[in-house]
Amino acid sequence: MIQAILVFNNHGKPRLVRFYQRFPEEIQQQIVRETFHLVLKRDDNICNFLEGGSLIGGSDYKLIYRHYATLYFVFCVDSSESELGILDLIQVFVETLDKCFENVCELDLIFHMDKVHYILQEVVMGGMVLETNMNEIVAQMEAQNRLEKSEGGLSAAPARAVSAVKNINLPEIPRNINIGDLNIKVPNLSQFV
Amino acid sequence: MSDIVEKTLTALPGLFLQNQPAGGPAAAKASFSSRLGGLIRGITALTSKHEEEKLIQQELSNLKATVSAPTTTLKMMKECMVRLIYCEMLGYDASFGYIHAIKLAQQGNLLEKRVGYLAVSLFLHENHELLLLLVNTVVKDLQSTNLVEVCMALTIVSQIFPREMIPAVLPLIEDKLQHSKEIIRRKAVLALYKFHLIAPNQVQHIHIKFRKALCDRDVGVMAASLHIYVRMIKENSSGYKDLTGSFVTILKQVVGGKLPVDFNYHSVPAPWLQIQLLRILGLLGKDDQRTSELMYDVLDESLRRAELNHNVTYAILFECVHTIYSIYPKSELLEKAAKCIGKFVLSPKINLKYLGLKALTYVIQQDPALALQHQMTIIECLDHPDPIIKRETLELLYRISNAQNIRVIVQKMLEYLHQSKEEYIIVNLVGKIAELAEKYAPDNAWFIQTMNAVFSVGGDVMHPDIPNNFLRLLAEGFDDETEDQQLRLYAVQSYLTLLDMENVFYPQRFLQVMSWVLGEYSYLLDKQTPEEVINKLYKLLINDSVSSETKTWLIAAVTKLTPQAHSSNIVERVIQEFTISLDTCMRQHAFELKHLHENVELMKSLLPVDKSCEDMVVDASLSFLDGFVAEGLSQGVAPYKPHHQRQEEKLSQEKVLRFTYLALSFSSSGFTGRQSPAGISLGSDISGNSAETGLKETNSLKLEGIKKLWGKEGYLPKKESKTGEETEALPIPQESIMENVDQAKTKKDQCQVLTQSKEEKEKQLLASSLFVGLGSESTINLLGKADNVSHKFRRKSKIKETKSGETAHSHSMTCSSVSSLSNVSYDEDYYLNTLQDRGDKELKKFSLSLELLDSEPLTELPLVEKLSNCNLSAPSLFADNDMEIFHPPQSTAVSVAKEMSLASSFLEETTECIHSNLMEVCNNETISVFSYKIWKDDCLLMVWSITNKSGLELKSANLEIFPAENFKITEQLGCCLPVMEAEGTKTFQYSVQMEKPFTEENLSGFINYQMMDTHSVQMEFSINLSLLDFIRPLKISTEDFGKLWLSFANDVKQNVKMSESQATLPSALKTLQQKLRLHVVEIIGNEGLLACQLLPSIPCLLHCRVHADLLALWFRSSCSTLPDYLLHQCQKVVEGS
């Protein structure tokens, strides 16, 4: 099972953080930092696997990473995953990103963080590999976008109607109260004057 | 109708309003998304962490305001969420937005919902309370007709979902397994898998549906279901053997390229699917020849097909090799797999090399020759720049280590150890080195130095077992005493050298080990005097960097050395300095030392040299105070009462009254009154300690450990703790570690001769030293297999050998004959124990009882012979002992025959009941009276048998038992027999029932007979009965136990140290069951429940728990005396006294 998927740049700035196992917020941050330091130490020409840091569970977990230009993609997995399989899964994920964003770069990951998450959701779901077929993932993403667009027009209208009704009702209530208050206050004031 | 029209009409203006300022939301959107951009740009422009923090805090407070403002539209909320996600990712708290994320998922349209769900899955965890608010939304979306909504709901369910709410969505998700869309089915399968992980019992009923998913027409769904199967087969492979065929077929099709081209990845058909399937096959075929045979073909096929030179084919190959080595072996396949491993190991690609090493590590247990084949590669990997590769290589070496290559391997491990900084790596490696060193150490110096390295590097992070084991090894020694002394001496010397070095800091645990060893074994030194050693210890004592825990170890060592020292200057200085220490613990130790120092004789007896392994006999019952207690009691002092009893008395008014009565009776009867029934019945009320055992018939006051509530513990436990808790660890300076490294190197250099590049040669040498002993199977010592190589440091067997060879001889005879008996209720240990316990006199009785017991397999002539041998040999063995009792005038053959007839008469009855062995209670030249006890379920049956040894007729032999206060004795058979023919036997049976509780009581009686009308002879005898004879197992269920437990008020707790031979719970309980006749109700983990009853019906419950070698006993009963008594008995049994 995949425990976590981390993407950070060469300076250790996180670009995508996804945990499939529960860690408290602070520990998550520490794991990102620790992983970054573990990975940074390594040259490009040595192997892509290393043992997980002490925070994530030591030698029972493997970190499998790939380095693309400015970004590190790190998958933290337990012993039930095949190292080489995961290595290629990272490749699939990155290639899919490339297809969806057309020449993906770090900025795409920053500005379309939500979209990256949606793509990832199609590849890995709840720590399990869901889909490894790139075309399938891209098709799924496109289908989602298309459905949203077409539904956006249709479903938005009733939604808008509802919110319009709500908006009409809301301002009325305070107005009534205000009037009431004024009515009471005025005689009091006049007495003092 | 009009209503609807009206509503529509009222809604219209709102719609128009929304649509009219088209720029409104768009502008808002633009401004919001640009705000995200602005934020990010702002952050990237910043240089310091501090500024970033300021900016984000500001951003968060803005967001907080926007999010909670009622005017914020869902669209704006969506943008806010994305920014919140960003802030959270950077590690800032955005918890104020969580509730809004849930709201967004609830209310938004598809796009907004998607963001809402994403935010929820990133922000919350499974146990978050807000998650419950999401359940309704999820249920609604699961029922939606919109595919995207269903997908989103399934995704969120598989990411996070509260366990207790699973039933709410389970039926909906089950329905989705039949959905027409493949993607929905696939996600539903994974969601169910998630449920299986977090709440397996809730999805048990849908295992059949998983099977359906496995047979799904869509490959994706089938692949998803494999996740579940890997998991379930791992948990229980035997339940899924029937699916082997299906998995094999699927794999065959995948490998054969039957899948749509869509599934190819770099023209490899569905590699991830193949990996999963191979895993499953490996799990299924493990240790199962039949199942394995089904998969040989397809594995062969996989190996053959995976020839393309892409990364992912190696993934498949690796998995294939793994599977081949996991399942029942087939030589052909193994050969091919070995070749494959070669491909990995020799690959220039570092990832593959790593996996090759991993595979080698895995297969090395089955195929050590493979390591030999790749030895040169392994050597290269040892010096690889990548630490991960090195680690894996060391792991491999660890598994091929043996007595011959140990030096080199450990040296390599130490080298790596010095380079690594990761704590878990150090802990792991240090443990391995210590294990290897202990197992294969070639000589003393090497062993000590390696352990020094382990201690100095492993420091305080290592597992506490390591220093413990090391010290125990030193203390217990091995089979050869001189060897032991040398090892100890070497350790002492090496520590002294280490301590001589200036400015070196050792981890605390290392110092603790040193101080213990120096304290125990400095006497072995001939050059240095104890004073010098004390001086060194003193230097450490006044060192500030030494922890106070270590200082107590140090001062303990000083204390141990003090009796050996001739001059006491330094000791006095220590005393002087530390009696005013601010640390109370140190002060305590210093005062102890001071007082002991004043009494050197006591000190020497208290701290004997080289006795760390011998158990100190502690008179826990404080018998030496007995006179004092007696004196006090006779003067009317109130007797001591244990704590639980005092509490009890506080609670119950009645008891107080009873107590006053007792105190009165006591003062009247004085000290001797303890034997009065009243005193007995409330033994613990009166003088807790002394009353019970004081009742023993022996004249001397023997008070073995009843209560250890107060007493000598002040200084006795100190000694115990020294052997008991050396839990620490340590390091040495670089120089000495490298010493042997250098040695090894120089050795290598010497061997080096001409030709070949120096480096090459070195590697080959290293290889030959590493892989020595791997060639032939016989010498290989692989982990996990039985060790047949003799180890230098093999622990002594724990069973203490019997001291005297003679008794050992007779024991073994006893053993052999006893074990041949089918209806022996006690096992031979019992006989052995009792035999050891009792004196030589007993031997005779034993031999008799043996004859008796052995008489069943009468036909076996050799046995009888053996027995007669035994009888014959006994007098000669014990010729100089008080053996005059043992002089049967008749030939042994006769006596054997006689006993046999006697035995046959009672064995019929005793077969179903537990009985004691036969004891002679009295005899003269004419008759012998034997007696034994039968512990019947409802009473104690005493049997006396009178044997006429003379050739003459006895007349009116009669046996009578004196009435006893505590017993009700009922005669079972007529016991008066007018005539007893020559060499006949007569038995008398009495059932004994207890009337009042007691601890030990004598049952006495007499026998009289007339011989040839001449005179009548009367002989008296007595037999000792203990309360134990009236204890019976109480067979109850755990439930009843629980109820009873709560209903009983009297409880007693005590920790008892278990003897080594039975240091596990089951064996301890077994002993209790056998010796005390307790019923084992249940064993739960390290706790055990036992129950017994005192006849006629006083129950007593026992709860025990094991902590290391301590057994915590906790008794409860309705009777106040019983727990104390039983505790005493348990203590005796468990401590193996």
Side-chain angles (χ1 to χ4, degrees):
Chain A
M1 191 173 151
I2 299 167
Q3 304 292 319
I5 294 170
L6 311 173
V7 180
F8 40 74
N9 71 2
N10 291 347
H11 303 289
K13 278 258 175 281
R15 293 300 175 219
L16 177 96
V17 177
R18 183 50 138 153
F19 281 90
Y20 294 100
Q21 192 195 350
R22 163 88 188 128
F23 287 104
E25 304 288 339
E26 322 80 68
I27 304 290
Q28 290 190 4
Q29 289 302 317
Q30 284 174 30
I31 288 175
V32 173
R33 247 170 286 144
E34 190 187 31
T35 312
F36 170 65
H37 286 297
L38 281 174
V39 171
L40 191 71
K41 270 191 288 191
R42 301 174 61 81
D43 300 336
D44 276 349
N45 58 347
I46 56 180
C47 83
N48 298 58
F49 319 120
L50 62 145
E51 282 170 356
S54 49
L55 285 173
I56 214 154
S59 45
D60 290 343
Y61 294 96
K62 286 256 147 57
L63 298 178
I64 295 156
Y65 73 96
R66 267 178 187 268
H67 189 195
Y68 296 93
T70 59
L71 291 175
Y72 283 99
F73 286 74
V74 185
F75 279 44
C76 174
V77 301
D78 66 11
S79 60
S80 69
E81 298 285 342
S82 150
E83 284 97 338
L84 286 176
I86 293 291
L87 208 55
D88 274 282
L89 189 69
I90 300 178
Q91 182 68 29
V92 167
F93 178 46
V94 174
E95 280 182 38
T96 314
L97 287 178
D98 199 50
K99 273 195 183 168
C100 291
F101 289 111
E102 290 165 15
N103 287 329
V104 69
C105 68
E106 193 181 338
L107 283 178
D108 290 320
L109 264 71
I110 303 171
F111 289 107
H112 303 283
M113 199 177 43
D114 48 340
K115 224 175 172 187
V116 178
H117 270 292
Y118 302 138
I119 296 169
L120 185 61
Q121 270 177 7
E122 295 303 316
V123 181
V124 178
M125 192 166 122
M128 269 84 61
V129 181
L130 176 70
E131 179 62 77
T132 50
N133 186 346
M134 217 180 307
N135 297 330
E136 189 71 22
I137 301 166
V138 175
Q140 199 62 39
M141 289 308 295
E142 277 168 4
Q144 273 188 30
N145 293 341
R146 230 181 308 121
L147 266 173
E148 273 158 18
K149 270 175 208 158
S150 60
E151 287 239 336
L154 288 172
S155 65
R160 247 177 263 147
V162 172
S163 62
V165 172
K166 274 183 193 161
N167 289 343
I168 290 164
N169 288 335
L170 275 172
E172 276 171 7
I173 303 159
R175 213 180 296 150
N176 288 337
I177 296 165
N178 286 343
I179 293 163
D181 280 347
L182 277 174
N183 287 342
I184 298 162
K185 276 175 189 167
V186 172
N188 287 348
L189 280 169
S190 61
Q191 270 176 5
F192 279 103
V193 172
Chain B
M1 180 67 192
S2 63
D3 277 6
I4 297 168
V5 173
E6 205 175 278
K7 271 186 187 168
T8 321
L9 283 174
T10 43
L12 271 175
L15 276 176
F16 286 132
L17 272 172
Q18 290 263 313
N19 283 343
Q20 218 174 10
K29 192 192 170 189
S31 71
F32 266 83
S33 61
S34 68
R35 264 195 230 168
L36 173 68
L39 171 68
I40 291 161
R41 258 174 237 119
I43 291 171
T44 36
L46 293 175
T47 45
S48 77
K49 181 87 190 160
H50 180 67
E51 282 174 72
E52 179 196 296
E53 203 166 295
K54 234 166 74 184
L55 189 80
I56 294 203
Q57 290 301 354
Q58 199 191 334
E59 174 74 17
L60 280 175
S61 55
N62 283 345
L63 277 171
K64 199 171 185 174
T66 326
V67 153
S68 42
T71 49
T72 311
T73 62
L74 290 173
K75 218 164 211 162
M76 282 153 75
M77 192 70 95
K78 193 183 100 182
E79 301 303 327
C80 289
M81 269 315 139
V82 176
R83 279 193 285 161
L84 277 178
I85 294 175
Y86 188 78
C87 293
E88 278 257 319
M89 184 179 75
L90 290 179
Y92 296 89
D93 178 51
S95 51
F96 62 84
Y98 294 176
I99 185 76
H100 297 285
I102 290 180
K103 249 198 240 163
L104 194 64
Q106 245 161 25
Q107 298 167 350
N109 64 21
L110 275 174
L111 274 172
E112 293 148 7
K113 199 185 261 296
R114 191 162 70 158
V115 176
Y117 271 134
L118 176 67
V120 168
S121 76
L122 287 169
F123 290 160
L124 305 185
H125 57 88
E126 265 158 27
N127 304 320
H128 202 287
E129 48 193 1
L130 285 180
L131 213 51
L132 291 177
L133 299 176
L134 196 72
V135 174
N136 256 336
T137 319
V138 170
V139 171
K140 204 179 78 200
D141 286 339
L142 279 175
Q143 288 163 324
S144 162
T145 49
N146 189 327
L147 283 186
V148 179
E149 277 184 346
V150 178
C151 271
M152 285 192 294
L154 285 172
T155 308
I156 193 84
V157 162
S158 70
Q159 313 265 37
I160 43 164
F161 200 74
R163 185 178 315 165
E164 59 274 21
M165 295 311 287
I166 289 175
V169 294
L170 192 57
L172 290 172
I173 295 179
E174 277 178 60
D175 286 346
K176 295 289 176 274
L177 288 175
Q178 271 97 46
H179 201 276
S180 58
K181 278 284 179 185
E182 170 263 330
I183 182 78
I184 302 282
R185 291 203 302 274
R186 186 155 21 132
K187 290 195 171 180
V189 168
L190 281 187
L192 288 175
Y193 173 55
K194 179 75 177 184
F195 290 168
H196 175 74
L197 285 182
I198 58 176
N201 39 3
Q202 299 208 28
V203 289
Q204 258 166 356
H205 62 287
I206 44 175
H207 281 195
I208 296 206
K209 295 197 173 161
F210 290 150
R211 289 197 182 214
K212 237 180 226 162
L214 183 67
C215 310
D216 199 282
R217 60 187 181 278
D218 190 276
V219 183
V221 182
M222 184 267 287
S225 75
L226 290 184
H227 285 293
I228 301 173
Y229 279 104
V230 171
R231 176 84 185 192
M232 293 196 298
I233 292 171
K234 207 179 255 171
E235 282 161 6
N236 167 28
S237 68
S238 56
Y240 300 93
K241 299 271 185 198
D242 56 320
L243 287 175
T244 315
S246 319
F247 291 125
V248 169
T249 325
I250 296 171
L251 184 58
K252 235 175 221 161
Q253 289 173 9
V254 176
V255 174
K258 298 271 162 56
L259 291 187
V261 196
D262 277 0
F263 286 91
N264 284 9
Y265 175 77
H266 290 267
S267 53
V268 182
W272 288 279
L273 187 58
Q274 288 194 45
I275 291 171
Q276 288 274 43
L277 284 166
L278 286 167
R279 283 242 153 137
I280 290 178
L281 291 185
L283 290 170
L284 281 172
K286 194 162 192 191
D287 306 322
D288 184 345
Q289 185 174 4
R290 259 251 220 83
T291 316
S292 300
E293 274 164 3
L294 294 172
M295 46 187 94
Y296 289 147
D297 281 348
V298 73
L299 289 175
D300 194 39
E301 174 95 1
S302 294
L303 275 184
R304 208 151 35 79
R305 292 258 183 172
E307 273 166 3
L308 294 152
N309 223 3
H310 185 267
N311 201 10
V312 87
T313 45
Y314 282 104
I316 298 171
L317 270 184
F318 181 79
E319 223 45 63
C320 221
V321 169
H322 194 279
T323 304
I324 289 170
Y325 274 97
S326 308
I327 63 172
Y328 190 87
K330 189 192 184 195
S331 57
E332 246 175 84
L333 279 178
L334 287 181
E335 223 170 87
K336 286 184 187 169
K339 245 183 233 162
C340 255
I341 293 179
K343 268 190 222 167
F344 278 96
V345 174
L346 299 173
S347 164
K349 284 184 188 159
I350 200 116
N351 285 341
L352 300 184
K353 195 165 266 205
Y354 169 79
L355 287 175
L357 288 171
K358 207 176 142 185
L360 269 185
T361 315
Y362 184 77
V363 305
I364 204 78
Q365 301 190 355
Q366 293 173 45
D367 196 357
L370 209 56
L372 215 56
Q373 210 177 313
H374 297 293
Q375 46 176 304
M376 286 320 285
T377 323
I378 295 172
I379 299 293
E380 274 161 25
C381 289
L382 261 184
D383 296 322
H384 202 279
D386 188 346
I388 300 296
I389 300 264
K390 262 195 200 174
R391 279 257 301 142
E392 202 56 47
T393 317
L394 287 179
E395 180 71 32
L396 178 62
L397 291 182
Y398 166 71
R399 299 200 181 209
I400 59 166
S401 53
N402 58 34
Q404 285 130 314
N405 60 17
I406 183 70
R407 277 173 193 270
V408 197
I409 288 180
V410 167
Q411 174 206 328
K412 287 283 167 195
M413 285 177 147
L414 284 175
E415 278 170 26
Y416 185 82
L417 191 60
H418 288 305
Q419 291 161 10
S420 41
K421 289 178 196 75
E422 292 286 338
E423 186 176 313
Y424 67 96
I425 292 179
I426 295 178
V427 172
N428 181 312
L429 215 53
V430 150
K432 282 181 178 157
I433 296 173
E435 185 194 327
L436 291 180
E438 202 177 293
K439 220 165 168 184
Y440 301 115
D443 59 54
N444 290 336
W446 183 88
F447 178 64
I448 295 294
Q449 282 181 358
T450 307
M451 289 314 283
N452 285 353
V454 164
F455 290 144
S456 47
V457 179
D460 295 322
V461 296
M462 68 170 71
H463 199 272
D465 275 356
I466 298 172
N468 275 351
N469 285 344
F470 174 71
L471 290 183
R472 197 199 294 164
L473 204 82
L474 273 186
E476 284 177 359
F478 325 106
D479 300 330
D480 184 0
E481 188 59 31
T482 53
E483 188 82 340
D484 294 347
Q485 299 296 18
Q486 271 170 13
L487 179 68
R488 290 168 190 161
L489 180 62
Y490 190 86
V492 170
Q493 282 166 343
S494 96
Y495 294 154
L496 286 179
T497 338
L498 289 182
L499 288 181
D500 270 342
M501 269 178 275
E502 301 281 333
N503 297 325
V504 188
F505 295 98
Y506 304 101
Q508 300 302 319
R509 287 206 191 149
F510 194 16
L511 288 176
Q512 287 161 10
V513 168
M514 284 190 200
S515 53
W516 189 85
V517 172
L518 290 179
E520 284 293 325
Y521 299 114
S522 287
Y523 74 94
L524 295 169
L525 290 167
D526 29 338
K527 279 185 203 139
Q528 287 103 327
T529 61
E531 286 83 357
E532 284 173 65
V533 180
I534 294 179
N535 207 11
K536 288 208 172 82
L537 294 173
Y538 172 72
K539 269 187 204 151
L540 283 173
L541 268 176
I542 53 171
N543 189 332
D544 288 336
S545 64
V546 175
S547 77
S548 60
E549 191 199 352
T550 311
K551 282 188 180 169
T552 56
W553 285 71
L554 287 164
I555 203 158
V558 172
T559 313
K560 276 185 266 186
L561 289 172
T562 307
Q564 299 159 30
H566 303 294
S567 84
S568 53
N569 291 342
I570 183 81
V571 178
E572 269 155 18
R573 207 155 87 211
V574 171
I575 293 172
Q576 205 180 350
E577 244 168 78
F578 287 97
T579 45
I580 52 163
S581 164
L582 286 178
D583 187 333
T584 36
C585 193
M586 288 302 289
R587 208 159 62 224
Q588 155 99 9
H589 282 287
F591 271 108
E592 280 166 14
L593 177 60
K594 186 181 167 194
H595 289 296
L596 286 176
H597 189 55
E598 283 160 9
N599 187 348
V600 179
E601 280 317 303
L602 175 66
M603 191 167 195
K604 277 188 179 156
S605 65
L606 192 63
L607 301 166
V609 167
D610 191 22
K611 290 280 186 292
S612 63
C613 277
E614 272 147 58
D615 289 330
M616 195 160 246
V617 184
V618 178
D619 185 0
S621 65
L622 313 176
S623 60
F624 59 94
L625 287 175
D626 211 63
F628 177 75
V629 171
E631 198 181 315
L633 284 172
S634 65
Q635 283 167 15
V637 174
Y640 171 73
K641 280 171 293 181
H643 179 66
H644 66 92
Q645 202 183 331
R646 270 176 279 159
Q647 268 185 331
E648 199 178 296
E649 275 168 16
K650 238 181 261 168
L651 292 173
S652 110
Q653 187 66 29
E654 272 177 33
K655 289 250 166 92
V656 174
L657 287 171
R658 208 160 124 225
F659 164 68
T660 47
Y661 151 73
L662 274 166
L664 282 173
S665 81
F666 220 82
S667 55
S668 63
S669 60
F671 183 48
T672 48
R674 279 201 281 164
Q675 293 197 2
S676 75
I680 296 153
S681 68
L682 284 155
S684 67
D685 288 34
I686 306 165
S687 66
N689 295 348
S690 13
E692 289 174 297
T693 35
L695 290 171
K696 278 185 185 167
E697 76 208 298
T698 44
N699 299 330
S700 65
L701 277 165
K702 210 174 143 202
L703 301 170
E704 292 146 2
I706 295 170
K707 284 259 146 216
K708 292 181 182 171
L709 287 176
W710 53 281
K712 295 201 248 174
E713 306 201 333
Y715 53 91
L716 280 176
K718 202 177 107 204
K719 179 73 187 172
E720 285 170 347
S721 70
K722 271 169 211 154
T723 48
E725 51 174 340
E726 37 255 6
T727 326
E728 334 301 290
L730 16 144
I732 30 164
Q734 218 75 336
E735 288 88 320
S736 62
I737 308 158
M738 299 319 286
E739 218 174 276
N740 53 14
V741 176
D742 289 339
Q743 280 170 6
K745 281 217 173 105
T746 45
K747 224 184 257 172
K748 257 184 260 158
D749 290 346
Q750 284 164 2
C751 310
Q752 223 167 58
V753 244
L754 348 156
T755 63
Q756 286 195 345
S757 80
K758 201 173 171 187
E759 219 176 290
E760 254 333 85
K761 190 82 187 173
E762 226 169 57
K763 275 185 183 166
Q764 283 192 355
L765 271 170
L766 182 59
S768 63
S769 55
L770 270 178
F771 297 95
V772 62
L774 266 191
S776 69
E777 290 278 346
S778 62
T779 52
I780 285 160
N781 196 305
L782 294 169
L783 299 168
K785 288 186 180 176
D787 278 353
N788 43 11
V789 171
S790 69
H791 299 148
K792 179 177 170 63
F793 295 136
R794 190 184 300 146
R795 296 252 160 75
K796 256 186 195 163
S797 67
K798 298 267 150 94
I799 306 147
K800 297 223 165 97
E801 286 155 318
T802 40
K803 291 273 148 71
S804 116
E806 289 166 41
T807 45
H809 169 67
S810 55
H811 287 180
S812 65
M813 278 177 76
T814 322
C815 262
S816 61
S817 41
V818 170
S819 57
S820 67
L821 220 116
S822 54
N823 65 343
V824 194
S825 43
Y826 286 92
D827 59 14
E828 50 201 81
D829 295 22
Y830 178 75
Y831 281 108
L832 265 177
N833 289 343
T834 36
L835 193 60
Q836 278 171 300
D837 290 346
R838 298 167 190 205
D840 299 327
K841 269 196 219 170
E842 294 285 310
L843 184 71
K844 179 200 156 208
K845 290 172 192 165
F846 257 94
S847 60
L848 280 173
S849 82
L850 285 171
E851 288 155 24
L852 201 78
L853 295 168
D854 270 326
S855 56
E856 237 181 7
L858 262 183
T859 42
E860 288 178 47
L861 206 73
L863 238 164
V864 177
E865 272 171 23
K866 209 200 252 170
L867 285 170
S868 46
N869 284 346
C870 177
N871 274 346
L872 285 171
S873 63
S876 62
L877 278 173
F878 300 99
D880 46 357
N881 290 346
D882 51 346
M883 289 301 293
E884 66 273 18
I885 316 158
F886 192 80
H887 46 82
Q890 289 84 11
S891 75
T892 40
V894 172
S895 79
V896 168
K898 206 165 60 190
E899 295 303 337
M900 285 190 305
S901 67
L902 183 140
S904 58
S905 68
F906 78 75
L907 274 172
E908 293 156 23
E909 173 146 25
T910 52
T911 39
E912 69 261 40
C913 288
I914 304 171
H915 58 85
S916 73
N917 42 299
L918 201 63
M919 291 213 314
E920 195 182 50
V921 288
C922 66
N923 68 351
N924 61 10
E925 59 281 359
T926 346
I927 61 162
S928 311
V929 180
F930 296 95
S931 135
Y932 62 94
K933 301 169 183 172
I934 300 173
W935 294 293
K936 291 193 109 178
D937 281 347
D938 52 352
C939 65
L940 173 71
L941 199 63
M942 291 296 307
V943 180
W944 283 273
S945 68
I946 301 158
T947 312
N948 185 357
K949 293 188 284 192
S950 69
L952 305 166
E953 260 186 22
L954 298 181
K955 276 194 182 163
S956 61
N958 189 22
L959 183 131
E960 249 175 61
I961 305 293
F962 298 129
E965 284 177 274
N966 294 331
F967 306 121
K968 198 175 103 193
I969 300 157
T970 333
E971 195 181 318
Q972 293 276 320
L973 295 170
C975 62
C976 179
L977 56 164
V979 180
M980 198 167 161
E981 350 61 34
E983 300 186 8
T985 313
K986 184 68 200 168
T987 57
F988 301 89
Q989 293 186 17
Y990 287 89
S991 82
V992 182
Q993 254 158 355
M994 193 186 58
E995 302 239 288
K996 285 175 188 160
F998 63 99
T999 46
E1000 303 250 345
E1001 183 83 330
N1002 278 329
L1003 193 63
S1004 42
F1006 62 88
I1007 179 154
N1008 56 16
Y1009 58 91
Q1010 265 189 317
M1011 233 172 135
M1012 292 306 289
D1013 297 319
T1014 51
H1015 57 291
S1016 115
V1017 183
Q1018 179 158 339
M1019 265 167 45
E1020 285 201 8
F1021 59 85
S1022 78
I1023 193 140
N1024 190 11
L1025 292 184
S1026 78
L1027 195 62
L1028 211 51
D1029 292 321
F1030 296 92
I1031 299 283
R1032 295 290 177 277
L1034 179 60
K1035 292 193 171 98
I1036 52 171
S1037 68
T1038 315
E1039 252 179 53
D1040 294 337
F1041 185 97
K1043 282 181 204 152
L1044 277 177
W1045 183 262
L1046 292 176
S1047 66
F1048 291 157
N1050 305 294
D1051 66 345
V1052 174
K1053 286 186 203 178
Q1054 174 113 8
N1055 287 346
V1056 175
K1057 197 162 183 285
M1058 287 187 280
S1059 65
E1060 283 173 336
S1061 55
Q1062 48 181 16
T1064 61
L1065 184 67
S1067 70
L1069 293 190
K1070 203 176 148 212
T1071 330
L1072 289 178
Q1073 187 179 16
Q1074 283 172 348
K1075 297 200 178 167
L1076 302 182
R1077 289 184 291 276
L1078 306 181
H1079 171 63
V1080 179
V1081 180
E1082 202 180 354
I1083 301 179
I1084 312 159
N1086 62 346
E1087 294 174 43
L1089 307 177
L1090 297 103
C1092 66
Q1093 58 174 335
L1094 178 65
L1095 290 177
S1097 63
I1098 305 170
C1100 182
L1101 306 179
L1102 165 60
H1103 171 268
C1104 23
R1105 180 199 288 271
V1106 175
H1107 306 283
D1109 62 345
L1110 279 184
L1111 188 66
L1113 300 171
W1114 186 359
F1115 291 91
R1116 275 198 178 182
S1117 168
S1118 55
C1119 164
S1120 59
T1121 354
L1122 195 54
D1124 278 334
Y1125 174 77
L1126 275 174
L1127 172 63
H1128 172 58
Q1129 294 297 335
C1130 285
Q1131 214 167 354
K1132 272 212 299 208
V1133 170
V1134 173
E1135 284 173 349
S1137 57

